[in-house]
Amino acid sequence: MKNISAEFLTLGIESSCDETGIGLYHSEKGLLEHQLFSQDIHAEYGGVVPELASRDHIHRTVPLIKAVLASANLTLKDLSGIAYTAGPGLAGALLVGSSIAKSLAWSLGIPALAIHHMEGHLLAPLLENERPNFPFVALLVSGGHTMLVDVKGIGEYQILGESLDDAAGEAFDKTAKILGLGYPGGPALAALATTGNSGKFKFPRPMTDRPGLDFSFSGLKTFARNTFAQHPEQKADIAKAFEVAVSKTLMIKCKRALEQTGRKILVVAGGVSANLSLRRELDNLGQKLGAKVYFPRPEFCTDNGAMIALAGHFRLSGGQFDDDFAINIKPRWSLADLPAITN
Ligand code: KG4
Ligand code: ZN
């Protein structure tokens, strides 16, 4: 193993779902480069087909690593460590990233480290120049997860609440499908909502009428289905009412989480944090509460390799690495089980 020195170059590999993402993070210079390949093969099936996703990661990962290194004028020999998404996610897709990361690290004699995909999202706002300081409350809203987390430091995560059924992004995608907007539907629904009238329909704000920080979004999609059946010509108004309901519900729960923890910083990440209506709602909340709200730029909200390289950088340079070269994945993995960085 190379010594973990002050100058440390981490390669990050993301392959948990339908995007191959590669990032390169330097301990002194920050993010050097990142590139993404979004698989479009799933659109005709109306959702991600796991076997097709795995096969495509196999074709994309190595060329993308080469492209990222070439664009940063570096070679494999310059790498100090390799971080890869080990879960949660699709098992076959995770296996591709894990196999490539472990084989490369073994052949180069450098450490490899399993990264939790949601920790990648959670830390993505630290890729920006204006970084949030610990401690903070994080709202993570992706296609697979919706959670509120109290964050004291890297790996010091207390889950305050999470979705009991559909994740926020999943609810966007399913509602978009009901409205005939294709897959992935979140961005398409958000675009349609910009032309809708918010006063036409009022959707419920699930679980806001009782205490607690858990979420439930599956009822909203049913509400959308019923409303659409009765008013098939009012797609944009339905999209708008749905988006407002999700944004307001998330805002109400963020308010509670900030009040309950006494934190003054809110960090928002994951694919749905690219949503402009949600951003506006949470910015307003921050102003009302005197709290600072941080979002990553849109390309770091959705899946990417930069966030995995960053999470890997913190942990690898903190002395953590996988203790063998076995190919291990954790398709189910709780954020609360991650170790803190102790040094
Ligand atoms: O974080 P992400 O890229 O992947 C997962 O880890 O799941 O999140 C993808 C999710 C999808 O459900 C997608 O529809 C949603 O984020 N999404 C959006 C927007 N952009 C992406 N939802 C609403 N508005 C958007 N602008
Ligand atoms: Zn994600």
Side-chain angles (χ1 to χ4, degrees):
M1 292 277 168
K2 271 185 195 168
N3 276 336
I4 293 174
S5 55
E7 288 231 342
F8 199 86
L9 183 67
T10 305
L11 179 76
I13 302 178
E14 159 59 35
S15 72
S16 65
C17 192
D18 57 349
E19 337 241 24
T20 314
I22 304 294
L24 204 50
Y25 195 92
H26 187 274
S27 51
E28 313 291 311
K29 299 174 194 156
L31 185 69
L32 299 181
E33 174 68 9
H34 85 108
Q35 290 186 24
L36 187 74
F37 179 82
S38 291
Q39 303 178 350
D40 50 15
I41 40 173
H42 307 287
E44 64 178 289
Y45 302 96
V48 178
V49 183
E51 179 61 22
L52 294 183
S54 316
R55 289 185 205 177
D56 215 43
H57 284 304
I58 292 174
H59 294 301
R60 305 292 169 187
T61 309
V62 170
L64 212 55
I65 293 173
K66 285 186 176 160
V68 162
L69 284 169
S71 136
N73 258 328
L74 294 166
T75 70
L76 285 173
K77 298 233 171 348
D78 296 308
L79 296 178
S80 319
I82 302 181
Y84 61 96
T85 304
L90 302 171
L94 293 166
L95 274 171
V96 177
S98 166
S99 310
I100 293 172
K102 285 302 190 70
S103 323
L104 258 183
W106 180 77
S107 67
L108 294 168
I110 59 176
L113 181 64
I115 295 295
H116 192 295
H117 180 78
M118 297 311 291
E119 177 173 72
H121 279 303
L122 193 157
L123 298 176
L126 299 175
L127 287 164
E128 304 298 351
N129 287 335
E130 210 194 324
R131 293 170 155 209
N133 289 320
F134 299 109
F136 53 75
V137 166
L139 171 69
L140 304 181
V141 270
S142 71
H145 296 85
T146 304
M147 346 182 191
L148 275 162
V149 190
D150 188 41
V151 180
K152 293 202 184 71
I154 293 170
E156 296 177 71
Y157 308 135
Q158 188 196 349
I159 297 173
L160 303 170
E162 56 194 326
S163 180
L164 305 178
D165 43 52
D166 292 354
E170 194 179 354
F172 263 96
D173 294 337
K174 287 179 175 170
T175 302
K177 201 169 180 176
I178 290 167
L179 298 178
L181 301 177
Y183 185 89
L189 190 150
L192 180 63
T194 59
T195 65
N197 184 335
S198 65
K200 286 280 158 63
F201 300 106
K202 171 117 195 238
F203 277 43
R205 280 91 167 107
M207 295 184 70
T208 53
D209 57 352
R210 66 191 97 160
L213 294 170
D214 286 335
F215 304 91
S216 165
F217 290 110
S218 70
L220 278 181
K221 131 203 108 194
T222 312
F223 202 90
R225 182 179 293 119
N226 295 339
T227 313
F228 185 48
Q230 286 161 15
H231 306 276
E233 74 297 346
Q234 280 178 272
K235 268 192 198 186
D237 297 334
I238 294 171
K240 181 76 180 180
F242 169 85
E243 187 184 56
V244 169
V246 173
S247 306
K248 296 260 185 223
T249 303
L250 292 171
M251 180 276 286
I252 292 167
K253 295 291 166 103
C254 285
K255 178 169 185 278
R256 268 186 211 170
L258 288 169
E259 285 168 351
Q260 181 177 314
T261 56
R263 305 278 184 233
K264 286 286 170 207
I265 297 174
L266 176 66
V267 163
V268 192
V272 182
S273 65
N275 185 274
L276 293 177
S277 152
L278 177 65
R279 285 179 175 238
R280 267 195 307 273
E281 201 66 60
L282 295 176
D283 273 335
N284 287 343
L285 174 70
Q287 275 174 13
K288 272 190 212 138
L289 297 183
K292 229 170 147 23
V293 185
Y294 293 84
F295 305 92
R297 75 190 75 162
E299 68 184 291
F300 295 151
C301 288
T302 44
D303 288 350
N304 65 84
M307 68 185 194
I308 303 303
L310 177 73
H313 158 75
F314 286 128
R315 290 188 173 279
L316 284 160
S317 59
Q320 296 181 5
F321 51 85
D322 289 356
D323 50 16
D324 64 25
F325 285 102
I327 291 158
N328 68 334
I329 55 162
K330 302 178 188 184
R332 292 180 171 276
W333 190 6
S334 170
L335 202 55
D337 291 342
L338 297 185
I341 294 183
T342 44
N343 64 354

